Amino acid sequence: MKIRLILIFITFLGGCANDSIYSELLKNFTILVNGPEDISQDVVDRVPYASMQARLGNSKNSLIVLEEDRDNILKWTTSNYVKIYTQNGFVVRLTGLGNELQRIDLDKNHPANFIQYPDDKIVVTSFYSFENPQLIRLPIKTMFSYVKDEKITILGKEIDTKVYKEESLKNLISWRFENKYWINENKEIVKSIQYFSPKNPPIHLLTTKKYLKP
């Protein structure tokens, strides 16, 4: 039934291809079904800074660049001034949207503090603070676990990774989410899907040009 509806929708839009509105709908529907196109190597090479491919939910992919490294927290900037802060690949702050993640105070045993990932399941408690609306130090328990080995392709290069998931457990606002992380042989997060607020879709991140500390 789902496949039939997709075919009907594509056929309908195909008949309206000359209309810019329906052309845009077709483009957006293609993204919904097939996923957005990755940033090309040519685009990445034009930017002389460390960069990542990023998108929210099913939106188009954008290239974000490293603006600052302060105490091992990397600050990434988008063209529309959204700021993404990461610690060893984990999003710990995100501003510039309606509902903002002001900070995550990570559990002392959180993998971001050690760049280590468990063979067995571990549970950590981190504290989330939000703006619009304001909510300070919401305790969120999450469980990390290994999922599988997976080979992924980034800019035409195949990379062996281990996939881990981070599941939220019962909390005060009944916020349910599942983050995923793809870890390379150097214990680096090269790809991730991370939820950062109950009111926003997850952010998808993909390393396109690694940051090398001076």
Side-chain angles (χ1 to χ4, degrees), residues 5-172:
L5 288 174
I6 289 173
L7 289 174
I8 291 171
F9 190 78
I10 290 175
T11 301
F12 170 74
L13 291 181
C16 307
N18 292 329
D19 190 306
S20 60
I21 295 176
Y22 291 109
S23 295
E24 187 64 25
L25 280 173
L26 179 59
K27 185 191 301 182
N28 292 337
F29 186 74
T30 301
I31 288 175
L32 183 63
V33 175
N34 300 322
E37 291 185 3
D38 286 336
I39 301 293
S40 70
Q41 180 74 63
D42 180 59
V43 171
V44 173
D45 290 342
R46 284 186 229 154
V47 179
Y49 310 108
S51 64
M52 287 196 296
Q53 174 180 286
R55 78 173 191 270
L56 285 175
N58 288 312
S59 63
K60 297 178 183 178
N61 284 314
S62 299
L63 196 67
I64 61 175
V65 297
L66 182 63
E67 179 181 335
E68 181 181 58
D69 176 3
R70 178 175 294 184
D71 299 327
N72 294 319
I73 302 295
L74 302 185
K75 178 182 178 182
W76 306 84
T77 303
T78 71
S79 58
N80 56 354
Y81 305 108
V82 173
K83 308 291 184 181
I84 303 165
Y85 301 75
T86 61
Q87 179 178 334
N88 292 323
F90 291 90
V91 174
V92 293
R93 186 181 182 197
L94 199 154
T95 64
L97 299 173
N99 179 231
E100 300 189 343
L101 172 65
Q102 279 301 310
R103 66 180 291 162
I104 302 177
D105 296 306
L106 297 173
D107 188 295
K108 65 179 181 179
N109 295 318
H110 194 286
N113 293 320
F114 304 101
I115 321 180
Q116 290 183 333
Y117 303 92
D119 293 326
D120 297 319
K121 296 178 180 179
I122 64 166
V123 175
V124 298
T125 302
S126 300
F127 294 85
Y128 288 63
S129 295
F130 304 101
E131 288 286 347
N132 301 318
Q134 187 179 74
L135 182 57
I136 305 299
R137 289 183 60 80
L138 171 70
I140 297 286
K141 280 189 176 183
T142 58
M143 181 171 64
F144 282 86
S145 59
Y146 166 78
V147 178
K148 62 180 178 179
D149 287 6
E150 184 176 340
K151 192 183 293 289
I152 64 173
T153 301
I154 300 179
L155 298 175
K157 181 180 179 181
E158 287 193 339
I159 299 173
D160 291 318
T161 67
K162 292 185 177 297
V163 184
Y164 289 83
K165 67 179 179 181
E166 178 188 13
E167 299 174 89
S168 65
L169 303 179
K170 186 176 180 180
N171 54 72
L172 296 175

